[in-house]
C-alpha cells in the first residue's frame, strides 16, 4: 500500500467527471482501493474520492466510524435524496476553508463493492448521507463550494502559512 499525493484545488483533475470502472478485479483497481484507504487515513479524512489522488476511476471510500471497515464504493450513484439541512463542510483538497451549505437529510445510493457485488442502501446516519453527497460530487467534478449560497458562507480556517509545502495549492504554470 502507498500514500498517494493529495490533489488540491484548482487542480483540473478535481473538475473532471470520473470514468466508470469496468472490472473491479483488475489488480490495478484493487491496488488503487488499498492506496486510497491508506491515503484517507494518512490525510485524516472521513472520505476520499479517486480524483483527489489523481485517478479518473469512479471510486470513493467513506470511513463510517473508527471501528468499522471503510465503505468502498465503486461506480456510486445517488438514486434519491430527501429533506434539507444546513451543514458545515470542509475538504481534504481545500484545507484552508470551511463552508456552510445545504445537504440532504436522507440519501439513497447504489454502487458495487470491491468484490463486484451490487449494493443498494440508504445512508442511515446524517454523517454518512453528507459524506455520500460530498464524495459523489467529487466524482462528478464538483466541490462543496459549488453549493454555497453566498461567498460569505465560505470562511478561512487555516492561513496559507499554516499549510505544509505538500498541502499548498498547485499554481497554474
Ligand atoms: Zn472533498
Amino acid at each position: 500500500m502507498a500514500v498517494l499525493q493529495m490533489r488540491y484545488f484548482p487542480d483540473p483533475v478535481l473538475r473532471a467527471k470520473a470514468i466508470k470502472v469496468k472490472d473491479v478485479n483488475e489488480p490495478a483497481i484493487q491496488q488503487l482501493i488499498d492506496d486510497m484507504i491508506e491515503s484517507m487515513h494518512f490525510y485524516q479524512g472521513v472520505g476520499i474520492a479517486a480524483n483527489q489522488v489523481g485517478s479518473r476511476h469512479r471510486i470513493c471510500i467513506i470511513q463510517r466510524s473508527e471501528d468499522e471497515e471503510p465503505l468502498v464504493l465503486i461506480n456510486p450513484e445517488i438514486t434519491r435524496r430527501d429533506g434539507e439541512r444546513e451543514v458545515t463542510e470542509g475538504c481534504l483538497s481545500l484545507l484552508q476553508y470551511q463552508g456552510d451549505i445545504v445537504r440532504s437529510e436522507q440519501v439513497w445510493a447504489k454502487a458495487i463493492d470491491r468484490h463486484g457485488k451490487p449494493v443498494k442502501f440508504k445512508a442511515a446516519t446524517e454523517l454518512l448521507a453528507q459524506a455520500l453527497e460530498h464524495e459523489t460530487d467529487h466524482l462528478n467534478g464538483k466541490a462543496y463550494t459549488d453549493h454555497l449560497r453566498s461567498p460569505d458562507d465560505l470562511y478561512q480556517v487555516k492561513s496559507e502559512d499554516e499549510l505544509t509545502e505538500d498541502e499548498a495549492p498547485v499554481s497554474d504554470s
Side-chain angles (χ1 to χ4, degrees):
M1 292 210 278
V3 172
L4 304 169
Q5 174 61 52
M6 181 60 58
R7 302 300 186 94
Y8 300 99
F9 286 99
D11 191 314
V13 75
L14 294 166
R15 286 299 183 190
K17 197 171 175 349
I19 298 158
K20 275 193 174 179
V21 175
K22 288 201 183 81
D23 181 5
V24 299
N25 297 312
E26 254 182 65
I29 295 294
Q30 292 294 324
Q31 179 74 52
L32 174 64
I33 292 167
D34 288 335
D35 290 348
M36 284 174 65
I37 293 170
E38 188 167 349
S39 303
M40 178 181 71
H41 291 147
F42 178 81
Y43 294 108
Q44 298 181 320
V46 291
I48 196 166
N51 50 350
Q52 289 186 278
V53 288
S55 162
R56 294 288 304 277
H57 292 297
R58 193 170 181 89
I59 301 172
C60 69
I61 317 277
I62 295 172
Q63 186 71 49
R64 286 165 289 184
S65 66
E66 274 191 20
D67 43 313
E68 272 177 294
E69 285 285 298
L71 188 61
V72 176
L73 300 174
I74 298 155
N75 302 339
E77 298 288 348
I78 289 178
T79 51
R80 192 181 146 198
R81 304 167 202 258
D82 196 27
E84 284 191 344
R85 66 198 172 97
E86 192 168 295
V87 295
T88 301
E89 209 153 302
C91 179
L92 289 178
S93 296
L94 193 69
L95 289 168
Q96 308 99 297
Y97 297 96
Q98 280 188 352
D100 295 329
I101 59 164
V102 173
R103 288 286 190 200
S104 309
E105 268 171 347
Q106 295 183 300
V107 177
W108 289 257
K110 63 174 185 179
I112 54 175
D113 71 13
R114 70 180 301 170
H115 310 292
K117 191 173 149 245
V119 286
K120 262 188 179 178
F121 61 98
K122 176 187 169 186
T125 65
E126 292 190 334
L127 203 65
L128 181 56
Q130 183 179 1
L132 259 175
E133 288 193 307
H134 184 104
E135 303 309 333
T136 52
D137 269 359
H138 272 307
L139 296 173
N140 293 329
K142 289 168 114 187
Y144 77 86
T145 48
D146 299 336
H147 300 291
L148 291 165
R149 290 153 297 177
S150 145
D152 298 338
D153 291 338
L154 187 70
Y155 39 91
Q156 199 161 3
V157 290
K158 223 176 175 186
S159 74
E160 296 271 342
D161 304 344
E162 287 174 280
L163 298 179
T164 66
E165 206 171 291
D166 281 0
E167 296 170 347
V170 184
S171 58
D172 273 345
S173 54

